[in-house]
Amino acid sequence: MPRYAYVNGRYVAHGEAAVHIEDRGFQFADGVYEVVTVHAGKLVDEEGHLRRLDRSLRELQMPWPMSERALRLVMRQLIAKNGIGDGIVYLQITRGQAPRDFKYPKGVSPTLVMTTRFMNLDPVEQLNHGVKVITIPDIRWKRRDIKSVALLPQAMGKQKAAEAGAFEAWQVDDEGFITEGCSSNAWIVTDEGVLVTRHASNDILNGITRQSLIRLAESAGIPFEERAFSVAEAHAAREAFLSSATTYVTPITQIDEHKVGEGVPGALAGKLREAYLSYARSEGAS
Ligand code: PMP
Protein backbone atom coordinates (compact mmCIF):
# COMPACT_ATOMS: atom_id res chain seq x y z
CA MET A 1 0.00 0.00 0.00
CA PRO A 2 1.52 3.39 -0.95
CA ARG A 3 2.12 5.76 1.94
CA TYR A 4 0.82 9.29 1.59
CA ALA A 5 1.58 12.53 3.34
CA TYR A 6 -0.58 15.62 3.22
CA VAL A 7 1.29 18.84 2.34
CA ASN A 8 -0.46 22.18 1.81
CA GLY A 9 -3.61 20.91 0.15
CA ARG A 10 -2.26 17.83 -1.60
CA TYR A 11 -1.84 14.13 -0.84
CA VAL A 12 1.64 13.22 -2.03
CA ALA A 13 3.86 10.13 -1.89
CA HIS A 14 5.53 10.14 1.54
CA GLY A 15 9.02 9.78 0.06
CA GLU A 16 8.56 12.86 -2.11
CA ALA A 17 6.76 15.12 0.36
CA ALA A 18 8.66 18.39 0.91
CA VAL A 19 8.41 21.96 2.13
CA HIS A 20 10.48 24.96 1.02
CA ILE A 21 13.97 25.63 2.44
CA GLU A 22 12.77 29.03 3.64
CA ASP A 23 9.90 27.58 5.62
CA ARG A 24 9.97 29.20 9.07
CA GLY A 25 9.55 25.80 10.65
CA PHE A 26 12.93 24.84 9.19
CA GLN A 27 14.68 28.14 9.95
CA PHE A 28 13.22 29.21 13.30
CA ALA A 29 11.28 26.18 14.62
CA ASP A 30 8.38 28.63 14.18
CA GLY A 31 5.67 26.01 14.28
CA VAL A 32 3.46 23.82 16.40
CA TYR A 33 2.35 20.22 16.21
CA GLU A 34 0.05 17.56 17.58
CA VAL A 35 0.19 13.79 17.73
CA VAL A 36 -3.18 12.08 17.84
CA THR A 37 -3.44 8.36 18.46
CA VAL A 38 -5.47 6.20 16.12
CA HIS A 39 -7.00 3.20 17.87
CA ALA A 40 -8.73 0.64 15.64
CA GLY A 41 -9.04 3.33 12.96
CA LYS A 42 -10.57 5.95 15.31
CA LEU A 43 -8.99 9.13 16.64
CA VAL A 44 -8.50 9.15 20.41
CA ASP A 45 -9.08 12.35 22.38
CA GLU A 46 -9.46 14.33 19.14
CA GLU A 47 -11.31 17.20 20.82
CA GLY A 48 -8.59 17.75 23.40
CA HIS A 49 -5.84 17.73 20.78
CA LEU A 50 -7.67 20.23 18.57
CA ARG A 51 -8.36 22.53 21.54
CA ARG A 52 -4.66 22.47 22.47
CA LEU A 53 -3.66 23.06 18.82
CA ASP A 54 -5.92 26.10 18.76
CA ARG A 55 -4.33 27.38 21.96
CA SER A 56 -0.76 26.85 20.67
CA LEU A 57 -1.63 28.72 17.45
CA ARG A 58 -3.24 31.61 19.32
CA GLU A 59 -0.29 31.97 21.70
CA LEU A 60 1.98 32.40 18.65
CA GLN A 61 -0.47 34.59 16.68
CA MET A 62 -0.67 32.01 13.91
CA PRO A 63 -3.86 31.44 11.92
CA TRP A 64 -5.39 28.02 11.31
CA PRO A 65 -4.27 26.74 7.89
CA MET A 66 -7.86 25.67 7.10
CA SER A 67 -11.14 25.38 8.95
CA GLU A 68 -11.25 23.00 11.88
CA ARG A 69 -13.89 20.97 10.05
CA ALA A 70 -11.63 20.58 7.00
CA LEU A 71 -8.69 19.59 9.20
CA ARG A 72 -10.73 16.87 10.86
CA LEU A 73 -11.67 15.60 7.41
CA VAL A 74 -8.07 15.56 6.16
CA MET A 75 -7.00 13.56 9.23
CA ARG A 76 -9.67 10.97 8.48
CA GLN A 77 -8.84 10.83 4.78
CA LEU A 78 -5.14 10.31 5.47
CA ILE A 79 -5.88 7.55 7.99
CA ALA A 80 -8.08 5.83 5.39
CA LYS A 81 -5.63 6.32 2.49
CA ASN A 82 -2.78 4.87 4.56
CA GLY A 83 -4.89 2.04 6.01
CA ILE A 84 -4.03 2.91 9.62
CA GLY A 85 -5.61 0.65 12.23
CA ASP A 86 -3.46 1.35 15.30
CA GLY A 87 -1.05 4.23 14.96
CA ILE A 88 -0.74 7.99 14.99
CA VAL A 89 -1.51 11.09 12.99
CA TYR A 90 1.26 13.68 13.18
CA LEU A 91 0.28 17.18 12.16
CA GLN A 92 2.51 20.21 12.00
CA ILE A 93 1.65 23.81 11.25
CA THR A 94 4.34 26.42 10.67
CA ARG A 95 4.04 30.15 10.06
CA GLY A 96 4.88 29.46 6.42
CA GLN A 97 7.48 30.34 3.85
CA ALA A 98 9.15 33.76 3.85
CA PRO A 99 12.60 35.34 3.30
CA ARG A 100 14.60 34.79 6.48
CA ASP A 101 13.78 37.56 8.96
CA PHE A 102 13.08 37.09 12.65
CA LYS A 103 9.89 39.09 12.99
CA TYR A 104 6.62 37.58 11.85
CA PRO A 105 6.10 38.06 8.08
CA LYS A 106 2.83 39.55 6.78
CA GLY A 107 0.49 37.97 4.26
CA VAL A 108 2.02 34.51 4.45
CA SER A 109 -0.05 31.31 4.42
CA PRO A 110 0.77 28.76 7.11
CA THR A 111 2.28 25.44 6.11
CA LEU A 112 0.31 22.32 7.02
CA VAL A 113 1.94 18.92 6.93
CA MET A 114 0.31 15.70 8.04
CA THR A 115 1.68 12.16 8.18
CA THR A 116 0.55 8.88 9.71
CA ARG A 117 2.44 5.95 11.15
CA PHE A 118 1.53 2.46 12.32
CA MET A 119 2.23 1.86 16.00
CA ASN A 120 1.92 -1.01 18.42
CA LEU A 121 -0.31 0.40 21.15
CA ASP A 122 0.11 -2.66 23.34
CA PRO A 123 3.87 -3.09 23.95
CA VAL A 124 3.66 -6.20 26.13
CA GLU A 125 7.27 -6.18 27.34
CA GLN A 126 7.07 -2.57 28.60
CA LEU A 127 3.73 -3.16 30.23
CA ASN A 128 4.74 -6.39 31.95
CA HIS A 129 8.09 -5.21 33.26
CA GLY A 130 7.72 -1.46 33.38
CA VAL A 131 10.33 0.94 32.03
CA LYS A 132 13.31 2.83 33.42
CA VAL A 133 13.59 6.61 33.53
CA ILE A 134 16.52 8.83 34.39
CA THR A 135 16.41 12.40 35.73
CA ILE A 136 18.13 15.27 33.93
CA PRO A 137 18.16 19.08 34.32
CA ASP A 138 15.32 20.84 32.51
CA ILE A 139 17.12 23.15 30.09
CA ARG A 140 14.09 24.23 28.05
CA TRP A 141 12.54 27.67 27.45
CA LYS A 142 9.79 29.09 29.68
CA ARG A 143 6.77 28.46 27.42
CA ARG A 144 6.56 24.69 27.64
CA ASP A 145 2.77 24.97 27.58
CA ILE A 146 3.00 25.66 23.82
CA LYS A 147 3.43 22.49 21.78
CA SER A 148 6.19 23.96 19.65
CA VAL A 149 8.37 22.02 17.23
CA ALA A 150 11.49 23.41 18.97
CA LEU A 151 12.39 20.03 20.49
CA LEU A 152 16.18 20.03 20.62
CA PRO A 153 16.37 19.86 24.46
CA GLN A 154 13.99 16.90 24.37
CA ALA A 155 16.03 15.21 21.63
CA MET A 156 19.14 15.66 23.80
CA GLY A 157 17.29 14.26 26.81
CA LYS A 158 15.97 11.25 24.94
CA GLN A 159 19.46 10.56 23.63
CA LYS A 160 20.81 10.62 27.19
CA ALA A 161 18.03 8.27 28.24
CA ALA A 162 18.81 5.87 25.40
CA GLU A 163 22.51 5.89 26.30
CA ALA A 164 21.56 5.03 29.91
CA GLY A 165 19.33 2.17 28.74
CA ALA A 166 16.22 4.12 29.81
CA PHE A 167 12.92 4.68 28.07
CA GLU A 168 12.47 8.31 29.06
CA ALA A 169 14.22 11.17 30.88
CA TRP A 170 12.33 13.13 33.54
CA GLN A 171 13.37 16.77 33.49
CA VAL A 172 14.07 18.55 36.77
CA ASP A 173 13.62 22.28 37.46
CA ASP A 174 16.12 24.48 39.33
CA GLU A 175 14.39 23.76 42.68
CA GLY A 176 14.75 19.99 42.30
CA PHE A 177 11.16 19.31 41.25
CA ILE A 178 10.29 17.15 38.29
CA THR A 179 8.56 19.01 35.47
CA GLU A 180 7.78 16.21 32.99
CA GLY A 181 9.33 13.68 30.63
CA CYS A 182 10.81 14.70 27.28
CA SER A 183 7.65 13.52 25.51
CA SER A 184 5.32 12.54 28.35
CA ASN A 185 3.87 13.70 31.66
CA ALA A 186 5.22 12.36 34.96
CA TRP A 187 3.15 10.73 37.72
CA ILE A 188 3.83 9.08 41.06
CA VAL A 189 1.77 7.34 43.72
CA THR A 190 2.94 8.20 47.24
CA ASP A 191 3.36 5.72 50.07
CA GLU A 192 -0.07 6.87 51.33
CA GLY A 193 -1.61 5.92 47.98
CA VAL A 194 -2.08 9.48 46.68
CA LEU A 195 -1.78 9.97 42.93
CA VAL A 196 0.37 13.03 42.13
CA THR A 197 1.19 14.87 38.91
CA ARG A 198 2.56 18.38 38.46
CA HIS A 199 -0.01 21.18 38.13
CA ALA A 200 -0.54 22.68 34.67
CA SER A 201 1.38 25.95 34.10
CA ASN A 202 3.94 27.31 31.63
CA ASP A 203 6.40 24.81 33.13
CA ILE A 204 4.88 21.76 31.41
CA LEU A 205 2.89 20.74 28.39
CA ASN A 206 -0.61 20.04 29.62
CA GLY A 207 -0.93 16.54 28.16
CA ILE A 208 -4.26 15.61 26.67
CA THR A 209 -3.83 12.09 28.06
CA ARG A 210 -2.95 13.72 31.41
CA GLN A 211 -6.20 15.70 31.38
CA SER A 212 -8.28 12.63 30.54
CA LEU A 213 -6.52 10.60 33.24
CA ILE A 214 -7.27 13.27 35.83
CA ARG A 215 -10.97 13.12 34.93
CA LEU A 216 -10.93 9.30 35.06
CA ALA A 217 -9.08 9.24 38.41
CA GLU A 218 -11.50 11.74 39.91
CA SER A 219 -14.55 9.81 38.79
CA ALA A 220 -13.00 6.59 40.18
CA GLY A 221 -12.54 8.35 43.56
CA ILE A 222 -8.76 7.94 43.55
CA PRO A 223 -7.04 10.35 46.02
CA PHE A 224 -5.30 12.88 43.79
CA GLU A 225 -3.06 15.93 44.14
CA GLU A 226 -1.95 18.25 41.34
CA ARG A 227 1.39 19.60 42.60
CA ALA A 228 5.12 19.56 42.02
CA PHE A 229 7.05 16.60 43.44
CA SER A 230 10.79 16.33 44.02
CA VAL A 231 13.30 13.81 42.68
CA ALA A 232 13.66 12.44 46.24
CA GLU A 233 9.88 11.94 46.47
CA ALA A 234 9.89 10.17 43.11
CA HIS A 235 12.73 7.88 44.23
CA ALA A 236 10.70 6.96 47.33
CA ALA A 237 7.34 6.58 45.51
CA ARG A 238 5.24 3.45 45.74
CA GLU A 239 4.44 3.65 42.03
CA ALA A 240 5.42 5.77 39.07
CA PHE A 241 4.22 6.00 35.50
CA LEU A 242 4.25 8.26 32.47
CA SER A 243 1.46 9.32 30.15
CA SER A 244 1.22 10.47 26.56
CA ALA A 245 -0.99 10.00 23.53
CA THR A 246 1.18 7.19 22.17
CA THR A 247 2.09 5.43 25.41
CA TYR A 248 -1.23 5.94 27.25
CA VAL A 249 -0.15 4.92 30.77
CA THR A 250 3.25 3.21 30.93
CA PRO A 251 4.46 1.88 34.29
CA ILE A 252 7.91 2.88 35.56
CA THR A 253 9.83 0.39 37.68
CA GLN A 254 13.16 2.19 37.96
CA ILE A 255 14.04 5.88 38.43
CA ASP A 256 17.80 6.51 38.15
CA GLU A 257 19.31 3.76 40.32
CA HIS A 258 16.22 3.42 42.53
CA LYS A 259 13.75 0.60 42.20
CA VAL A 260 10.17 1.90 42.32
CA GLY A 261 8.15 0.12 45.01
CA GLU A 262 8.69 -3.62 44.61
CA GLY A 263 10.18 -3.11 41.15
CA VAL A 264 7.05 -4.30 39.36
CA PRO A 265 4.33 -2.28 37.56
CA GLY A 266 1.96 -0.71 40.07
CA ALA A 267 -1.69 -1.60 40.58
CA LEU A 268 -2.98 1.94 40.27
CA ALA A 269 -1.08 2.48 37.02
CA GLY A 270 -2.67 -0.72 35.69
CA LYS A 271 -6.12 0.43 36.74
CA LEU A 272 -5.68 3.83 35.09
CA ARG A 273 -4.38 2.29 31.88
CA GLU A 274 -7.45 0.05 31.72
CA ALA A 275 -9.73 3.01 32.42
CA TYR A 276 -8.05 5.03 29.67
CA LEU A 277 -8.27 2.13 27.21
CA SER A 278 -11.97 1.67 27.75
CA TYR A 279 -12.46 5.45 27.41
CA ALA A 280 -10.42 5.39 24.17
CA ARG A 281 -12.59 2.57 22.82
CA SER A 282 -15.83 4.33 23.65
CA GLU A 283 -16.90 7.96 23.71
CA GLY A 284 -13.32 9.22 23.68
CA ALA A 285 -12.89 8.10 20.09
CA SER A 286 -14.67 9.36 17.01
N1 PMP B 1 4.93 16.57 27.77
C1 PMP B 1 5.67 16.70 26.65
C2 PMP B 1 6.91 17.55 26.71
C3 PMP B 1 5.28 16.05 25.47
O1 PMP B 1 6.03 16.19 24.35
C4 PMP B 1 4.13 15.22 25.47
C5 PMP B 1 3.73 14.48 24.23
N2 PMP B 1 3.33 15.29 23.21
C6 PMP B 1 3.38 15.13 26.64
C7 PMP B 1 3.81 15.81 27.77
C8 PMP B 1 2.13 14.30 26.69
O2 PMP B 1 1.08 14.97 26.01
P1 PMP B 1 -0.12 14.16 25.34
O3 PMP B 1 -0.75 13.34 26.42
O4 PMP B 1 -1.02 15.21 24.82
O5 PMP B 1 0.49 13.29 24.29
Side-chain angles (χ1 to χ4, degrees):
M1 184 179 232
R3 185 180 178 198
Y4 293 97
Y6 178 88
V7 184
N8 289 332
R10 292 194 308 132
Y11 294 97
V12 290
H14 187 271
E16 279 145 38
V19 294
H20 195 270
I21 55 166
E22 285 196 310
D23 192 280
R24 288 183 61 98
F26 182 58
Q27 294 194 319
F28 296 111
D30 188 1
V32 300
Y33 74 109
E34 282 294 330
V35 176
V36 189
T37 296
V38 183
H39 184 107
K42 309 262 188 187
L43 292 159
V44 179
D45 260 333
E46 181 186 17
E47 282 310 315
H49 287 284
L50 291 180
R51 295 285 65 75
R52 185 173 62 190
L53 177 64
D54 182 58
R55 182 177 182 282
S56 295
L57 289 170
R58 270 189 291 115
E59 290 296 319
L60 296 175
Q61 300 171 42
M62 259 185 230
W64 276 68
M66 58 172 56
S67 72
E68 188 176 318
R69 195 155 160 249
L71 193 108
R72 288 178 195 260
L73 188 69
V74 174
M75 284 200 279
R76 283 165 176 73
Q77 283 184 345
L78 195 64
I79 290 166
K81 271 183 175 296
N82 288 337
I84 302 293
D86 286 353
I88 59 160
V89 176
Y90 173 86
L91 71 94
Q92 177 173 337
I93 299 168
T94 77
R95 201 178 300 277
Q97 176 195 330
R100 189 175 182 280
D101 182 11
F102 284 85
K103 62 188 184 300
Y104 301 167
K106 290 200 171 71
V108 166
S109 311
T111 299
L112 169 62
V113 168
M114 219 184 277
T115 54
T116 62
R117 197 154 99 188
F118 291 102
M119 189 171 279
N120 174 16
L121 299 175
D122 195 23
V124 176
E125 178 73 8
Q126 280 167 24
L127 297 173
N128 286 347
H129 299 287
V131 298
K132 173 181 169 182
V133 302
I134 57 168
T135 55
I136 58 168
D138 198 331
I139 60 169
R140 297 174 299 164
W141 72 330
K142 293 183 178 167
R143 291 302 310 275
R144 303 159 189 164
D145 55 310
I146 300 171
K147 198 165 171 61
S148 125
V149 295
L151 293 170
L152 191 52
Q154 283 101 314
M156 291 165 75
K158 287 276 193 185
Q159 178 62 23
K160 265 194 190 151
E163 285 168 10
F167 180 77
E168 175 63 297
W170 277 6
Q171 301 166 103
V172 180
D173 69 18
D174 291 345
E175 278 74 50
F177 292 97
I178 285 157
T179 52
E180 61 186 333
C182 294
S183 65
S184 58
N185 288 112
W187 303 71
I188 56 166
V189 179
T190 67
D191 226 16
E192 294 75 41
V194 181
L195 179 65
V196 184
T197 196
R198 192 176 174 118
H199 51 285
S201 72
N202 291 357
D203 293 337
I204 64 164
L205 183 75
N206 193 355
I208 302 307
T209 321
R210 173 191 179 281
Q211 295 172 43
S212 292
L213 287 171
I214 291 174
R215 283 196 302 275
L216 292 167
E218 279 171 349
S219 60
I222 295 165
F224 169 65
E225 284 173 13
E226 222 175 335
R227 62 166 173 85
F229 58 91
S230 67
V231 174
E233 202 178 358
H235 286 165
R238 181 196 285 184
E239 284 187 35
F241 63 89
L242 54 89
S243 71
S244 74
T246 49
T247 59
Y248 295 158
V249 171
T250 297
I252 294 167
T253 45
Q254 190 181 332
I255 302 174
D256 299 317
E257 294 318 312
H258 298 258
K259 195 166 77 171
V260 178
E262 299 301 312
V264 294
L268 194 51
K271 187 173 165 181
L272 282 169
R273 185 179 174 90
E274 279 313 310
Y276 189 78
L277 279 170
S278 62
Y279 161 72
R281 283 190 208 105
S282 60
E283 72 272 26
S286 57

